[in-house]
Amino acid sequence: MKNILNAPFVKEMCDVTANMYRLGWDERNGGNISYLLNEEEVAQYLDLSKVIREIPTGFTAKSLVGKIFIVTGTGKYFKNVAADPETNLGIIRIKEDATTAELLWGYKDGGRFTSELPAHLMSHMARLSVDPQNRVVMHSHPTNLLAMNYVHELDEAKLTHTLWEMCTECIVVFPDGVGVLPWMLCGTNEIGEATAEKMKEFRLVVWGMHGIYGAGKTMDETFGLIETVEKAAQIYMLTCNRPRVNTIKDEEMVRLAEFFKVKYRKDFLNL
């Protein structure tokens, strides 16, 4: 059996959590990540017949029965993940009853998965129904995007349009736009259900005055989606109080999208 600490998926979690903390996106124990793993790959590192303990999820995830995830722990600081992955991360499998997680590795201090796990599982179900290759769900509190929430209308079309205007790459990186939810109580099934509904249409969902959820095929893709939105929000915040002399025109965004052959939200443009 190979050493689990050398597993690519554990290293990815260590690297991305360290980067998110370094960038100031995930202060204290803010933020969480879940990553759908390949059973055959996990079996190289763990005896899948050995369950450490069972933890109720608080949600029924029938379509995820038997699926294995690596998930950040509740109350854990991203800055500590790389130094002690086994305490700050856990590998879980959704049991046959669809409401219980079997702990296969991690949370060695008796901890458990993030309190946002129901929202993550709902988002995984939504994204997998749209694209079976989507395996990562990531939540963070990017500073400039959060600041933008307070000075910009929280309207999907308007927010997306503004972000697209900020960087030439934006309409190419997230042509499906950004979904938006108003402020809602976090850690509840209600916000999870609302996020999952948006995830059927968007890979990025802003939680008003809170942060953002992103979904993608790989850790890099998901991180890159949030990173690009945050860069656009930063440019907006640096320029929003100054006269706009230049901008990327809607016709130019169309040229970009068509040149790079991406399916974009035409209804979010003013043509």
Side-chain angles (χ1 to χ4, degrees), residues 200-214:
K200 294 176 183 177
E201 188 176 354
F202 304 98
R203 291 172 297 158
L204 293 159
V205 181
V206 168
W207 282 9
M209 284 66 71
H210 182 145
I212 192 169
Y213 255 64

Side-chain angles (χ1 to χ4, degrees), residues 168-205:
T168 294
E169 66 177 346
C170 284
I171 196 170
V172 178
V173 175
F174 53 99
D176 42 344
V178 177
V180 176
L181 290 176
W183 185 92
M184 298 177 69
L185 183 63
C186 56
T188 65
N189 284 4
E190 182 184 10
I191 196 170
E193 290 164 0
T195 305
E197 192 60 33
K198 292 290 183 184
M199 280 281 181
K200 294 176 183 177
E201 188 176 354
F202 304 98
R203 291 172 297 158
L204 293 159
V205 181

Side-chain angles (χ1 to χ4, degrees), residues 116-186:
E116 300 288 0
L117 183 68
H120 277 256
L121 296 179
M122 292 178 205
S123 289
H124 277 291
M125 291 167 67
R127 287 308 308 168
L128 289 168
S129 71
V130 175
D131 185 343
Q133 294 185 44
N134 275 199
R135 299 169 60 200
V136 178
V137 172
M138 188 178 292
H139 171 55
S140 65
H141 310 152
T143 307
N144 292 283
L145 180 63
L146 186 54
M148 190 176 176
N149 279 204
Y150 291 90
V151 297
H152 192 286
E153 289 178 81
L154 289 179
D155 172 90
E156 290 170 349
K158 292 177 181 178
L159 182 64
T160 296
H161 190 278
T162 296
L163 292 169
W164 280 351
E165 286 182 304
M166 295 300 107
C167 306
T168 294
E169 66 177 346
C170 284
I171 196 170
V172 178
V173 175
F174 53 99
D176 42 344
V178 177
V180 176
L181 290 176
W183 185 92
M184 298 177 69
L185 183 63
C186 56

